[in-house]
Amino acid sequence: MSIYSEKVMDHFANPRNMGELEDPKGVGTVGNAKCGDIMRIYLDIDEAGVIRDVKFKTFGCGAAIATSSMATELVKGKTIQEAMQVTNRAVMEALDGLPPVKVHCSLLAEEAIHAALWDYAQKNNLVIAGLKEPRKDIGS
Amino acid sequence: MIYLDNAATTQMAPEVLQAMLPFFSDVYGNASAVYGLGARARQAVFEARKQVGALIGAAPEEIYFTSGGTEADNWAIKAVAETFADRGKHIITSKIEHPAVLQTCEWLERRGYEITYLDVDKDGLVHVEDVESALRSDTILISIMFANNEIGTIEPIAEIGSLARRRHVLFHTDAVQAFGQVPIDVEDMQIDLLSASAHKVNGPKGVGCLYIRSGVKIHPFLHGGPQERSRRAGTENVAGIAGFGAAARRAARILAEKQKREMSLRDDLIRRLESEVPWCRLNGHRSRRLPGNVNFSFSFVEGEALLIRLDMAGICASSGSACTSGSLDPSHVLLAIGLSHELAHGSLRLTLSEANTKAELDIVVETVKKAVELLRQMSPLYEDFMKNQSLEENI
Ligand SMILES: Cc1ncc(COP(=O)(O)O)c(C=O)c1O
Ligand code: FES
């Protein structure tokens, strides 16, 4: 029926971890320069550096919503270092792939998580190995 | 399923299919052949030419069958450009044309032609004064679409036709979306060239026509055999042409009733969406509008996500969102009427047919309302908007 896999459709229709957090430890918002879509990730991180909770908001296509949902599932309960391993490739694989024109959408999720981690690091004067300052517009 | 994408294509009418069937089986003769089997095919093509011509007030011999609207647009523009190059190389068109016109013009631009792409107003209307001020001594063609495929705005065709005639410039109109939907008369409207396509009026895909006013001498597009009076070579698509003829005959028969019915459904749908979904905007002119066209932008939501939600409810629609375009650019039409990228992103086009019912539209309104609400709950833009609103309220 759709250009998307069943997994993508499932995450699109029933997005996991959609919403906001009251007092997030880190928030990141990124925009996709390619199509103009926007994703925001909220993180709650405990003293041990474990992601206790995560929420997302996305203004974007089916693939963008599904990758947000899947990405939040993949980082929830993980340490910061583990979360850094959640690449757009990993998210796509977990969703059984995306159509070629939609690959750029999955970058949003990776970048939004990085942006939220960056925000957390800034607020807590931390350095997270491998994390660079996020660009505002990605995918260009 | 609720089909609301009739601007993309339409369902073939049963009588159209019936008209086509003999030419896929028994009546397989070449329309150029001398024997009876060929004569029957020839007769069918002749009838279709009359039927298609009759719908736009043209004589049968002014109708040239093509493979569709795209070919008709390409032929009209390229052939005028090539035939009259010694008179001038300037063409006037608009920013909201179909890609079949726009990309043909861009192709000519790369070959030394000058194209003026006219702006449209916020409703998508081309202003005749703008056409007039763009005219130059070397202008050889004005090509303005009859009605826009995305926002449904109907252009002031008779006024442009009259201007073109006064100034001795040829006038082409891409009437693919208007043919069979609104009355067209090439005489009254002083149209010299007109493109139409069968599959937008319950006919088959892959067949259309270019109307060429008699006396307008433009070069052939396809060279070869003597078909279509040696102006469009190639053995005729007899079944397709017979189907186009039947579709035109049917369209002429039901036009008034169809128009009335669709307009009432359309206005009802517009009214209900406007009253039930906050932060929406109707795109296109409110009254100078194709009977079946409804196009809205919903703030803070993205069109593709909306389309999938509708699809999950069995509703077929389309959007001008960048995310559905393949090129990832939002609709050039929505940008031309002044929409922000964000609003162009959140557009939804619902195009009706005479077969849609009020009960279907009840479901559509409910589904759109719910889907927009849901997607707004997911939208960071909506979140920011609501926070700003409550800030303002607290001041
Ligand atoms: C305004 C307009 N022009 C041209 C075309 C192309 O017609 P066809 O599909 O017959 O090539 C379309 C159809 O999408 C259209 O809407
Ligand atoms: S986010 Fe726009 S195409 Fe996917």
Side-chain angles (χ1 to χ4, degrees), chain A residues 26-65:
Chain A
V27 186
T29 304
V30 292
N32 196 320
K34 269 221 166 93
C35 60
D37 293 341
I38 295 166
M39 189 180 297
R40 177 172 297 159
I41 295 270
Y42 296 86
L43 293 175
D44 184 22
I45 301 173
D46 68 12
E47 287 76 38
V50 174
I51 297 172
R52 282 293 154 213
D53 204 359
V54 50
K55 296 277 181 203
F56 82 87
K57 288 239 173 146
T58 294
F59 166 77
C61 72
I65 290 171

Side-chain angles (χ1 to χ4, degrees), chain A residues 4 32 34-38 58-65 101-102 104-106 108, chain B residues 302 304 321-324 328 345:
Chain A
Y4 295 126
N32 196 320
K34 269 221 166 93
C35 60
D37 293 341
I38 295 166
T58 294
F59 166 77
C61 72
I65 290 171
V101 292
K102 295 291 181 180
H104 74 276
C105 319
S106 65
L108 266 179
Chain B
E302 188 282 316
E304 196 221 60
S321 163
C323 300
T324 58
L328 299 178
H345 233 26

Side-chain angles (χ1 to χ4, degrees), chain B residues 108-292:
Chain B
L108 284 171
E109 237 173 348
R110 294 193 291 276
R111 278 155 188 80
Y113 288 81
E114 272 182 80
I115 318 284
T116 300
Y117 300 94
L118 293 176
D119 286 320
V120 293
D121 68 15
K122 64 175 198 337
D123 294 323
L125 281 174
V126 171
H127 287 233
V128 186
E129 312 83 74
D130 293 345
V131 183
E132 183 150 27
S133 27
L135 278 171
R136 310 191 321 205
S137 57
D138 61 341
T139 306
I140 50 173
L141 178 69
I142 299 169
S143 178
I144 301 289
M145 70 200 319
F146 203 110
N148 184 267
N149 46 305
E150 291 186 39
I151 56 175
T153 299
I154 299 174
E155 300 300 342
I157 292 304
E159 285 92 326
I160 299 171
S162 142
L163 169 70
R165 186 65 56 83
R166 264 198 330 274
R167 300 290 291 266
H168 307 290
V169 176
L170 288 175
F171 176 38
H172 166 249
T173 187
D174 173 343
V176 168
Q177 290 290 334
F179 181 85
Q181 316 292 336
V182 291
I184 301 178
D185 190 305
V186 291
E187 288 310 323
D188 290 352
M189 297 173 170
Q190 308 188 354
I191 296 164
D192 298 311
L193 300 145
L194 176 147
S195 309
S197 180
H199 74 98
K200 312 279 188 185
V201 278
N202 310 93
K205 293 164 183 61
V207 58
C209 74
L210 180 63
Y211 154 80
I212 308 178
R213 171 177 297 284
S214 83
V216 172
K217 300 268 183 285
I218 58 168
H219 294 164
F221 193 51
L222 295 182
H223 301 270
Q227 295 89 357
E228 302 298 291
R229 308 169 82 220
S230 296
R231 293 174 101 170
R232 202 279 187 182
T235 300
E236 296 85 349
N237 171 11
V238 178
I241 290 169
F244 190 12
R249 183 187 58 204
R250 174 178 176 276
R253 190 178 71 232
I254 68 170
L255 185 89
E257 187 53 37
K258 172 182 163 75
Q259 207 181 356
K260 208 171 98 201
R261 181 173 163 79
E262 288 178 12
M263 279 166 83
S264 133
L265 289 171
R266 174 195 74 187
D267 293 339
D268 198 48
L269 183 56
I270 290 174
R271 197 172 331 108
R272 289 194 53 194
L273 286 172
E274 278 179 331
S275 70
E276 295 189 32
V277 188
W279 304 295
C280 69
R281 174 196 197 276
L282 178 71
N283 296 318
H285 197 280
R286 202 167 278 273
S287 55
R288 301 183 61 152
R289 181 178 199 99
L290 285 173

Side-chain angles (χ1 to χ4, degrees), chain A residues 64-125:
Chain A
I65 290 171
T67 51
S68 320
S69 165
M70 180 55 92
T72 57
E73 280 214 313
L74 292 178
V75 302
K76 196 168 178 172
K78 300 283 167 62
T79 65
I80 289 171
Q81 276 316 314
E82 285 166 337
M84 287 295 294
Q85 306 306 312
V86 176
T87 60
N88 77 305
R89 203 156 286 284
V91 175
M92 280 203 299
E93 270 166 28
L95 285 169
D96 294 339
L98 287 173
V101 292
K102 295 291 181 180
V103 171
H104 74 276
C105 319
S106 65
L107 283 168
L108 266 179
E110 176 184 328
E111 297 282 333
I113 289 170
H114 286 184
L117 286 172
W118 178 265
D119 180 50
Y120 167 75
Q122 292 291 99
K123 284 177 178 158
N124 295 282
N125 287 316

Side-chain angles (χ1 to χ4, degrees), chain B residues 290-301:
Chain B
L290 285 173
N293 179 289
V294 175
N295 188 317
F296 272 96
S297 282
F298 300 101
S299 297
F300 325 116
V301 306

